[in-house]
Amino acid sequence: MDRKLIFLDIDGTLITAMSEPSALTVKAVRRARENGHKVFLCTGRNMAIIGRDILDVGFDGIISSAGSHVEVGGEVLFDSLLTEETVQECLSVFHSHGIYCRIETKEGIYTDPQMEALLRNAKPDERNSELIRMQKEIEKGIGIQPYDKYPRQGAYKICFTSTTLDAIEATKPYLGDRFVYAVHVYGNSSSCFNGEIIRMGIDKGNGMDLVCRHLGMAAKDTIAFGDSMNDYGMMKFAHISVAMGNACDELKEMADIVCKNVEQDGIYYAFKDMGLL
């Protein structure tokens, strides 16, 4: 097979929530690279919370913070923070509608105290890898800091939780002209709705385009794996898009391929079926 650029989401795709990559997933990534393909992380996580166990698998580059940070071989190609003025505007809009926020920066993650309480009591849909990961972070004592420690120097991304969908919809007239809303999967009886706002023009797909141009390759050379709606941009850009078996229905419907679940080593078997190994 001709050389490919392969982009992998982390949570719900490369790993189950806050777990280590499986032996077969590690084998797939390393063997694909040995065969001349390049493999990249393409995640909503900020660099501060991509664990060593994941980085040690070995990747050719990273698109993090949903496209706000892009690096290849350790060289930073793009790094863009929301201005603090914009962050405060977004927080004001969300807070005025009873929505709690999580701010992701270069230094770490800062949350409203009410958000942690809401997350602790939430019963996530099994396909909502983002909500499950945030709950696992709380359980494991990952260094999430309260909002009053936030240094107010800009942020890569703002995530949100709300007790109603109506409240989220009510914020769109204020922010919808500049941000795409990614609301994650929720159950019929959910009392916690979570998602994130992604700047228009800066998403995982744009990050992939930057990597392609840097390496002198084309979109036809790309393959992307994802599971949730914050992966929509990269799935749309990729020549071949692969939704995990545990992905949300919307992503499965637009994907070229649906592979096995992350718990069933979907990446390994998809790599094998596609001749990457």
Side-chain angles (χ1 to χ4, degrees), residues 36-73:
H37 307 295
K38 290 188 178 292
V39 186
F40 301 84
L41 292 173
C42 195
T43 179
R45 291 195 192 193
N46 59 336
M47 293 295 292
I49 61 166
I50 300 177
R52 192 74 254 166
D53 57 331
I54 293 173
L55 295 175
D56 285 345
V57 173
F59 295 92
D60 295 285
I62 302 171
I63 298 171
S64 65
S65 296
S68 293
H69 179 90
V70 182
E71 59 181 68
V72 175

Side-chain angles (χ1 to χ4, degrees), residues 122-133:
K123 294 180 172 59
D125 185 288
E126 63 183 7
R127 296 165 296 170
N128 191 335
S129 60
E130 299 297 321
L131 181 52
I132 294 169
R133 172 173 61 84

Side-chain angles (χ1 to χ4, degrees), residues 122-277:
K123 294 180 172 59
D125 185 288
E126 63 183 7
R127 296 165 296 170
N128 191 335
S129 60
E130 299 297 321
L131 181 52
I132 294 169
R133 172 173 61 84
M134 288 192 288
Q135 289 183 322
K136 294 289 186 182
E137 287 171 349
I138 294 172
E139 290 174 12
K140 293 190 174 187
I142 302 297
I144 310 300
Q145 301 185 68
Y147 175 69
D148 60 14
K149 297 288 182 65
Y150 170 53
R152 294 180 177 246
Q153 296 176 348
Y156 286 120
K157 192 175 69 168
I158 298 174
C159 300
F160 58 80
T161 53
S162 174
T163 56
T164 71
L165 286 173
D166 288 343
I168 297 171
E169 287 297 318
T171 68
K172 291 183 178 180
Y174 302 94
L175 303 175
D177 60 332
R178 289 164 288 164
F179 294 92
V180 175
Y181 281 65
V183 178
H184 300 303
V185 179
Y186 50 87
N188 293 331
S189 60
S190 179
S191 60
C192 178
F193 302 91
N194 70 299
E196 57 198 78
I197 49 175
I198 300 170
R199 275 180 287 175
M200 290 183 179
I202 299 180
D203 61 21
K204 292 183 178 183
N206 291 97
M208 290 170 61
D209 182 45
L210 189 58
V211 171
C212 287
R213 288 189 280 115
H214 178 74
L215 296 175
M217 297 181 70
K220 67 178 179 61
D221 302 311
T222 61
I223 304 170
F225 287 72
D227 74 298
S228 64
M229 286 309 291
N230 63 1
D231 298 320
Y232 181 85
M234 77 170 186
M235 300 286 274
K236 187 175 180 181
F237 179 86
H239 182 62
I240 300 175
S241 57
V242 185
M244 305 303 292
N246 50 279
C248 63
D249 292 340
E250 294 90 339
L251 215 66
K252 287 181 178 179
E253 288 170 4
M254 60 92 67
D256 298 306
I257 298 170
V258 177
C259 69
K260 293 177 180 287
N261 291 3
V262 60
E263 297 91 347
Q264 299 170 315
D265 293 303
I267 284 177
Y268 174 81
Y269 290 105
F271 276 31
K272 185 176 180 182
D273 290 344
M274 297 169 77
L276 298 169
L277 307 184

